[in-house]
């Protein structure tokens, strides 16, 4: 949560998707200042539950699971390739291997 404002500085987009851990009023105000929609589910401890787009949040979870599958490949997790073209090529190969399962 401490690095989220620095990460979002200078970014543009229609929505910012985040986990429940990023549920804070300050971050929501920063996202609104960007002109984007915050797709962040509310914590259980929040007194007033703020609604979010459940479909977009579900798609975020699919992307997160895809990265989890990619991290099972040691070459991806440790980033052995020094050149970005080689690394990108391996990402395509690993994604194809996952898709073919």
């Amino acid at each position: 949560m401490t690095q989220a404002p620095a990460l979002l500085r200078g970014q543009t987009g229609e929505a910012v998707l985040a986990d429940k851990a990023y549920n804070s009023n300050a971050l929501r105000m920063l996202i609104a200042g960007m002109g984007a929609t915050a797709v962040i589910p509310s914590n259980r401890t929040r007194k007033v539950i703020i609604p979010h787009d459940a479909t977009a949040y579900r798609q975020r979870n699919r992307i997160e699971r895809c990265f989890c599958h990619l991290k099972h490949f040691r070459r991806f997790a440790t980033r052995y390739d020094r050149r970005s073209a080689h690394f990108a090529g391996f990402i395509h190969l690993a994604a194809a291997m996952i898709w073919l399962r």
Side-chain angles (χ1 to χ4, degrees), residues 11 29 34 45 48 63 68 77:
Q11 298 292 326
M29 288 175 41
M34 292 172 32
T45 58
V48 178
I63 293 168
C68 184

Side-chain angles (χ1 to χ4, degrees), residues 9-75:
R9 195 171 300 126
Q11 298 292 326
T12 60
E14 294 179 21
V16 175
L17 290 86
D19 203 346
K20 288 182 182 183
Y22 295 94
N23 180 30
S24 74
N25 292 334
L27 185 62
R28 287 180 184 271
M29 288 175 41
L30 178 71
I31 293 169
M34 292 172 32
T37 305
V39 182
I40 305 170
S42 297
N43 281 340
R44 293 181 197 165
T45 58
R46 188 178 274 275
K47 290 183 181 181
V48 178
I49 302 297
I50 300 172
H52 67 283
D53 184 4
T55 306
Y57 188 74
R58 202 171 303 122
Q59 295 299 323
R60 176 204 145 275
N61 187 281
R62 291 181 72 192
I63 293 168
E64 200 170 291
R65 286 187 311 210
C66 178
F67 274 104
C68 184
H69 287 297
L70 285 171
K71 287 181 181 179
H72 288 188
F73 293 92
R74 184 175 181 195
R75 185 173 170 180

